[in-house]
Amino acid sequence: MDKVLMKGNEAIAEAAIRAGCRHFFGYPITPQTEISAYMARRMPKIGGTFLQAESEVAAINMVYGAAGAGVRAMTSSSSPGISLKSEGISYIAGADLPCVIVNIVRAGPGLGGIQPAQSDYFQAVKGGGHGDYRMIVVAPSSIQEIVDSTFLAFDLADKYRMPVMLMGDGMLGQMMEPVAFPDTTGVKLPEKEWATTGTKKMRKPNIINSLYIQPDELEALIKNRWKKYIEIEQNEVRFEAEGTEDAEIILVAYGATARIVKAAIKKARENGIKAGLIRPITLWPFPSDVISAAAKKVKAILCVEMSMGQMVEDVRLSAAGACPVHFYGRTGGVVPIPADVYDEIRRYV
Amino acid sequence: MAIVFQKPKALSDVPLHYCPGCTHGIVHRLVAEVIDELGIEGSTIGVAPVGCAVFAYNYFNCDMQEAAHGRAPAVATGIKRANPENIVFTYQGDGDLAAIGTAETVHAAARGENITIIFINNAIYGMTGGQMAPTTLVGQVTQTSPYGRKVEAQGYPIRMSEMLSTLEGPSYIKRCSVDSIKNINDTKRAIKKAFQNQIDKKGFSLVEVLSTCPTNWGLSPVEALDWLRENMIPHYPLGTYKDIDAEQKA
Amino acid sequence: MPSKRLNYIAIRFMPHTAAERRIAMTYEILFAGFGGQGILFSGKVAAYAGLMGDMEVSWLPSYGPEMRGGTANCHVIISDSPVGSPIVNNPTDLVAMNLPSFTKFEKTVLTGGNIIADSSLISIKPDRDDINFYPIPATQMASDMEIPKLANMIIFGKLIAVSKFATMETVRKAVEKSVPPSKKELIEVNMKAIEAGYNYIG
Ligand SMILES: Cc1ncc(C[n+]2csc(CCOP(=O)(O)OP(=O)(O)O)c2C)c(N)n1
Ligand code: SF4
């Protein structure tokens, strides 16, 4: 297929439609509003639903309802809106519903700013909502990868019956790059016999619910869900590794930051420093094994984020003291530049 | 030389960031004049919304708090309950007040919370670049109603003043407009009464101001005023929807 | 359809002068001006011109409410190798369409790089002589040609003439791709504007 230039936000919307999503519930917020605008234009033309909810709280609960009714449903927002969705995400996890939530992260806390950031890592991978639950988090770093990750997100959500977050940042949402979309004609979506589509008097009622008053019943249910989470940790880790074989220092970065880090690594290599990159594509499940193996072979690990240091905690847990784990971060919407990352690399080799 | 134009003391020297021809600026000025005239600058606390007026905390020369999107009436409630002798107002757009913050608005009104709300209805989300608002008119094209607002899909616009006036709590609810000198003067009187009510401990007052957003309506400032007159006023009739003073007299 | 295909980007660190980058075939272009001048559109045509010429491209706009009547800018990278950071800190080519952008970004241009400035709106010259300066009265030309909204495309034509990252044939294809299908009639006027800038000698 012909490549077209597309903004990250629009690419997400188009990919979602091609992945079979016909129900989108949104609420405007910079820097992701183009997703809603695209859906508003396209959905009516293809018999789908675009609805601008009265708030993010309403939007995520519309997703809850639609997902429970068996359709591929999606919502998108940016940081402050995701905070509002956190309650709904917890209920969705508790009711084993598949859906996709997009977070085009901006700087926080509070109203913060609208420029790119990665300071919602904790919120995404460590909960955000209440209770014992997990959410798959996919963090692409190019517009083509955004497209591929959107398909992946819907597939994983259905496969494991759970919420999946697609996490980008203002830079990825706003920038354009060439993309090609896979041909999806004839692809069948999975059957969902658990959905509330009406019994038609042919089966027992289906119930979508997260309330379990009896502690042992709830514990058994959560333990069962945990088996699924362990399976995901074994099978669904995705990452990119580059130049790790001979590396003396390994950088860990995800999303847009990884692109900047790659430029710094290139310069380090030109100057005789053997630097490599591990780029988590799934933030949960986290690529702990590769990082832990790498930590045993290198002088140091340098984690670079657009935050004050969030993913670095998981990198440290994975490295388990095998080598020092350093951190370089910019925050508040400031994007690190390759030259500064290069200077950091030089400090540790 | 006589001074013919003077900035109200309650407005700071920071230049307003609003687009050319945007009526947010006029309403800021009216609020500031009222604060001056009532001499309450030192005891007034304003609450800024999330919307184009988010930077209001830089413009009013009084203590200000910035609230999360839609939560200004709740924040104002906290401020008022902490220091009931202070004068507390919020300044909110239609997305802030009538979409995400409807619950806070309705419940502050129902409680008869002794605060003043200035509600800017411009039938669109300005700050985020022109999406549909709860007050967007049927047929109106916005970024998220690209084929015009359709009743089947997006329902009807909300008339907030009418809705709130069905509650017992509020003391004063009035809808005004800033499309003409006469209406601007009316708006100022309404804002003054809404503050005076609070001073007199009469409870919740809200002034809805029909306002323009030339940028996102895609019109010149003058065309925007015409559009407001021709389209908004028929759907959102100006007038007093609740006034306990009048009720008591009657 | 679980798609595990995730693309991998290899990045070259950018060379230090504009000349070195051109040998490496990397153009880092910064378009800057007021909101409403068509800055983002000219950037888009540039990016499509790169794409149509089989190059790797990225396009990154400034965004947010500051764009309202304020400044707008757009970073375009065109390269023969995959684009790493889409941010242009040191442009090989600066297209400046107002004075604030000119004074803000003039210093950031790489040695040997190009500054193309709308001399109808910018009357000053750069404060340095290690770059090539191309003033062009684009706004005046646009109003003379009765296409007042297309100063951005006139100055874009000059950019093509001096930086040569695409042929005029490719530029035409890029314009065809960039205008919405419902506005096909805009292709010819855009080309007319680009050609005027391309042929401008000043
Ligand atoms: C929780 C949350 N959701 C969304 C936003 C994005 N947002 C900023 S302003 C705004 C709406 C502004 O519209 P309105 O209240 O009508 O005020 P106007 O800008 O028109 O004056 C939105 C949705 C946000 N900041 N926080
Ligand atoms: S976007 Fe609209 S409401 Fe906001 S400042 Fe501009 S004209 Fe006013």
Side-chain angles (χ1 to χ4, degrees):
Chain A
M1 195 198 137
D2 229 19
K3 284 203 167 179
V4 287
L5 283 179
M6 253 187 163
K7 274 193 169 193
N9 285 335
E10 296 180 340
I12 291 172
E14 179 60 29
I17 289 171
R18 287 177 191 241
C21 171
R22 290 293 177 276
H23 294 83
F24 177 86
F25 306 96
Y27 188 78
I29 185 166
T30 311
Q32 63 77 52
T33 302
E34 293 83 0
I35 301 179
S36 278
Y38 194 93
M39 292 298 196
R41 268 180 278 135
R42 289 277 286 130
M43 283 300 197
K45 302 262 181 214
I46 54 174
T49 296
F50 159 78
L51 196 61
Q52 181 178 308
E54 66 273 29
S55 70
E56 291 86 352
V57 178
I60 190 72
N61 285 290
M62 291 172 184
V63 166
Y64 178 103
V71 301
R72 282 195 157 179
M74 177 163 113
T75 184
S76 73
S77 192
S78 178
S79 312
I82 298 293
S83 292
L84 287 177
K85 287 184 198 294
S86 296
E87 178 198 56
I89 293 172
S90 165
Y91 278 70
I92 285 168
D96 296 307
L97 295 176
C99 71
V100 175
I101 300 131
V102 181
N103 186 3
I104 301 298
V105 182
R106 61 189 236 181
L111 208 43
I114 56 173
Q115 297 304 323
Q118 296 182 317
S119 40
D120 296 357
Y121 178 93
F122 284 157
Q123 186 193 46
V125 308
K126 311 275 176 193
H130 61 281
D132 264 332
Y133 79 94
R134 285 295 194 180
M135 172 165 68
I136 296 176
V137 183
V138 192
S141 97
S142 71
I143 311 301
Q144 184 63 52
E145 199 173 80
I146 277 180
V147 168
D148 300 338
S149 304
T150 305
F151 285 97
L152 179 68
F154 277 104
D155 290 339
L156 292 179
D158 277 346
K159 182 171 172 190
Y160 297 104
R161 274 184 71 178
M162 64 188 285
V164 178
M165 177 173 279
L166 192 62
M167 189 143 109
D169 58 68
M171 187 153 98
L172 287 168
Q174 295 296 323
M175 68 184 277
M176 285 204 286
E177 277 185 321
V179 283
F181 290 90
D183 185 8
T184 51
T185 40
V187 176
K188 280 207 103 141
L189 298 183
E191 290 292 323
K192 296 173 182 174
E193 72 287 341
W194 46 263
T196 55
T197 50
T199 63
K200 317 267 181 327
K201 296 188 184 162
M202 306 275 280
R203 58 161 169 77
K204 283 215 232 99
N206 284 336
I207 295 171
I208 304 294
N209 168 46
S210 62
L211 174 67
Y212 297 88
I213 291 291
Q214 295 302 331
D216 35 342
E217 194 192 353
L218 182 55
E219 184 189 48
L221 187 100
I222 293 172
K223 282 191 162 168
N224 207 28
R225 203 173 280 141
W226 232 257
K227 287 188 199 138
K228 172 170 89 179
Y229 293 160
I230 288 165
E231 191 189 326
I232 293 169
E233 284 179 326
Q234 282 161 358
N235 298 330
E236 305 296 352
V237 174
R238 283 167 175 77
F239 64 91
E240 176 195 354
E242 204 178 85
T244 48
E245 311 75 27
D246 64 344
E248 49 186 326
I249 180 166
I250 284 201
L251 284 88
V252 184
Y254 70 96
T257 308
R259 303 174 65 119
I260 288 143
V261 165
K262 282 185 182 186
I265 288 178
K266 170 81 183 151
K267 172 146 188 202
R269 290 249 163 203
E270 280 167 10
N271 287 290
I273 301 172
K274 292 195 179 106
L277 171 75
I278 294 174
R279 174 173 72 90
I281 295 171
T282 48
L283 302 182
W284 191 86
F286 192 70
S288 307
D289 291 352
V290 269
I291 293 175
S292 122
K296 298 191 183 95
K297 297 196 298 186
V298 294
K299 277 193 218 149
I301 288 178
L302 170 61
C303 183
V304 184
E305 296 174 59
M306 286 192 278
S307 78
M308 289 305 286
Q310 301 197 4
M311 179 176 72
V312 66
E313 292 192 1
D314 285 336
V315 175
R316 287 203 174 109
L317 279 175
S318 310
C323 76
V325 175
H326 305 285
F327 175 75
Y328 177 68
R330 297 302 303 264
T331 193
V334 180
V335 179
I337 61 171
D340 291 345
V341 177
Y342 172 66
D343 288 345
E344 285 295 308
I345 296 175
R346 284 197 5 208
R347 282 179 60 186
Y348 303 119
V349 289
Chain B
M1 202 182 86
I3 296 167
V4 285
F5 179 87
Q6 200 174 30
K7 205 160 49 58
K9 283 202 292 296
L11 268 193
S12 71
D13 289 328
V14 178
L16 302 186
H17 71 287
Y18 298 108
C19 306
C22 174
T23 46
H24 264 304
I26 299 179
V27 186
H28 275 33
R29 198 188 154 84
L30 298 181
V31 171
E33 284 175 1
V34 165
I35 293 174
D36 279 7
E37 287 169 21
L38 294 173
I40 52 172
E41 189 185 311
S43 59
T44 298
I45 292 99
V47 183
V50 175
C52 279
V54 65
F55 296 119
Y57 53 75
N58 286 328
Y59 304 148
F60 291 108
N61 248 339
C62 60
D63 281 358
M64 294 289 296
Q65 292 198 15
E66 186 357 75
H69 193 23
R71 315 299 173 211
V75 172
T77 299
I79 300 172
K80 189 71 186 179
R81 297 286 175 124
N83 292 306
E85 67 287 0
N86 281 343
I87 303 302
V88 185
F89 78 96
T90 74
Y91 183 105
Q92 304 173 256
D94 41 49
D96 198 78
L97 181 140
I100 194 166
T102 317
E104 283 76 1
T105 309
V106 169
H107 288 277
R111 286 193 304 269
E113 204 66 46
N114 191 23
I115 58 173
T116 303
I117 292 188
I118 311 299
F119 166 35
I120 305 296
N121 178 357
N122 59 10
I124 206 154
Y125 283 28
M127 175 79 153
T128 39
Q131 296 78 27
M132 195 188 84
T135 46
T136 291
L137 299 176
V138 173
Q140 189 182 336
V141 172
T142 70
Q143 198 190 52
T144 48
S145 57
Y147 310 111
R149 181 175 190 158
K150 289 199 173 63
V151 167
E152 313 82 79
Q154 290 127 338
Y156 294 93
I158 296 184
R159 294 189 182 94
M160 233 30 216
S161 288
E162 286 85 331
M163 209 170 95
L164 292 173
S165 66
T166 64
L167 298 172
E168 265 91 65
S171 74
Y172 181 57
I173 293 179
K174 180 165 175 128
R175 183 182 291 122
C176 310
S177 162
V178 285
D179 65 302
S180 67
I181 304 289
K182 177 187 165 291
N183 282 340
I184 290 173
N185 289 335
D186 267 1
T187 305
K188 182 168 168 189
R189 271 191 293 277
I191 293 175
K192 193 161 182 178
K193 184 170 163 72
F195 274 90
Q196 188 61 51
N197 276 1
Q198 189 180 158
I199 296 169
D200 298 343
K201 302 199 166 39
K202 288 186 180 154
F204 188 90
S205 299
L206 179 144
V207 179
E208 173 174 349
V209 185
L210 301 185
S211 203
T212 65
C213 176
T215 301
N216 290 305
W217 293 357
L219 300 174
S220 73
V222 176
E223 288 168 343
L225 290 172
D226 289 339
W227 194 88
L228 184 159
R229 266 189 293 273
E230 283 156 29
N231 299 282
M232 287 185 73
I233 294 181
H235 188 83
Y236 298 111
L238 305 184
T240 305
Y241 287 90
K242 178 141 199 202
D243 185 353
I244 50 166
D245 294 340
E247 282 163 27
Q248 276 158 7
K249 270 185 229 138
Chain C
M1 65 239 88
S3 70
K4 285 212 181 184
R5 193 177 71 80
L6 293 158
N7 67 325
Y8 295 89
I9 320 157
I11 275 134
R12 68 170 68 215
F13 197 80
M14 296 301 168
H16 294 295
T17 67
E20 281 170 24
R21 288 199 193 180
R22 295 235 176 69
I23 294 165
M25 289 280 277
T26 294
Y27 299 85
E28 297 198 24
I29 312 168
L30 177 58
F31 296 88
F34 289 121
Q37 275 182 319
I39 297 290
L40 303 188
F41 183 79
S42 15
K44 185 171 172 184
V45 178
Y48 259 120
L51 181 62
M52 298 288 163
D54 275 335
M55 306 272 279
E56 307 280 346
V57 300
S58 70
W59 175 97
L60 178 71
S62 55
Y63 61 88
E66 81 276 11
M67 284 174 64
R68 249 180 256 140
T71 57
N73 65 60
C74 163
H75 302 201
V76 174
I77 300 181
I78 299 171
S79 178
D80 61 352
S81 53
V83 179
S85 169
I87 299 174
V88 174
N89 294 311
N90 297 106
T92 57
D93 301 81
L94 167 66
V95 176
M97 290 194 69
N98 69 6
L99 187 62
S101 313
F102 180 83
T103 43
K104 182 168 174 199
F105 298 118
E106 180 209 331
K107 297 173 274 309
T108 66
V109 177
L110 284 173
T111 296
N114 304 318
I115 298 181
I116 302 132
D118 187 339
S119 54
S120 318
L121 305 172
I122 304 161
S123 51
I124 59 170
K125 291 195 167 57
D127 225 4
R128 47 190 285 200
D129 50 18
D130 61 338
I131 47 99
N132 309 303
F133 179 53
Y134 301 98
I136 169 169
T139 298
Q140 185 60 48
M141 287 167 73
S143 95
D144 291 348
M145 290 168 69
E146 294 181 1
I147 44 171
K149 288 207 168 129
L150 291 182
N152 63 329
M153 289 288 104
I154 295 180
I155 198 165
F156 177 79
K158 188 71 193 167
L159 169 71
I160 296 292
V162 302
S163 79
K164 302 187 178 65
F165 64 81
T167 61
M168 281 301 258
E169 210 178 311
T170 319
V171 168
R172 171 174 283 277
K173 285 191 211 151
V175 172
E176 286 168 4
K177 275 272 187 186
S178 306
V179 305
S182 57
K183 296 197 177 143
K184 286 277 176 239
E185 71 281 2
L186 293 181
I187 295 172
E188 289 315 317
V189 281
N190 271 287
M191 283 312 295
K192 198 174 113 193
I194 294 171
E195 275 155 19
Y198 188 83
N199 296 323
Y200 174 81
I201 303 165

